[in-house]
Amino acid sequence: MTDDVKRYFNSLMQKIVGLQSVLVTDRDGIPLIRVANEHAPELAMKPSFLSTFTMATDQSSKLGLGRNQTIICMYSNYQVVQMNKLPLIVTFIGSETCNTGHILALESQIDNYLDDVKQAVIEA
């Protein structure tokens, strides 16, 4: 199950220039699947950083704009795109020049690969 997902995310890292890491975590930021190259920033892959998405999503929903689907954070050396696939959070970390549009276009494509992982998290 997870080997297929890892292979898929590894292939994405080859296709999208500048993509450094893809992580699938639970709501608490605990990594379930991690695919990264040598350029991926370690601090951005820690559970303490990854769990902030859940808090930010909860706060943004209070604005009355509906449920948050994606949060994009741009830093000086890299960018972080986090997608809400509850009960999972998918985090893409790329260089500052990585094409954010390519990452966002993956949102519907990754659903099929995450079905088994979602089921395992729900059952646990």
Side-chain angles (χ1 to χ4, degrees):
M1 164 181 76
T2 58
D3 290 336
D4 292 337
V5 178
K6 281 187 176 184
R7 269 193 298 264
Y8 173 69
F9 287 136
N10 270 320
S11 72
L12 289 180
M13 288 183 50
Q14 304 303 315
K15 293 176 186 174
I16 301 175
V17 176
L19 187 59
Q20 299 171 348
S21 178
V22 181
L23 295 108
V24 178
T25 63
D26 65 3
R27 285 182 52 90
D28 298 324
I30 307 301
L32 304 172
I33 297 172
R34 177 182 169 174
V35 176
N37 65 20
E38 65 278 358
H39 303 294
E42 281 298 318
L43 290 176
M45 294 188 292
K46 291 190 176 211
S48 59
F49 177 81
L50 297 170
S51 66
T52 59
F53 176 81
T54 303
M55 291 182 293
T57 296
D58 291 342
Q59 290 300 312
S60 67
S61 67
K62 294 177 183 178
L63 295 172
L65 300 173
R67 198 177 94 182
N68 188 344
Q69 298 292 343
T70 306
I71 291 180
I72 303 169
C73 300
M74 306 296 275
Y75 299 93
S76 59
N77 295 327
Y78 59 94
Q79 59 182 289
V80 178
V81 177
Q82 292 180 296
M83 295 180 184
N84 192 359
K85 299 290 183 184
L86 290 177
L88 305 173
I89 307 297
V90 182
T91 304
F92 296 88
I93 301 171
S95 67
E96 70 275 9
T97 59
C98 185
N99 190 325
T100 309
H102 280 146
I103 296 172
L104 294 174
L106 298 171
E107 186 166 7
S108 62
Q109 295 175 16
I110 63 175
D111 286 339
N112 294 335
Y113 290 93
L114 295 177
D115 286 341
D116 291 337
V117 180
K118 280 183 184 180
Q119 198 61 32
V121 170
I122 290 170
E123 290 174 4

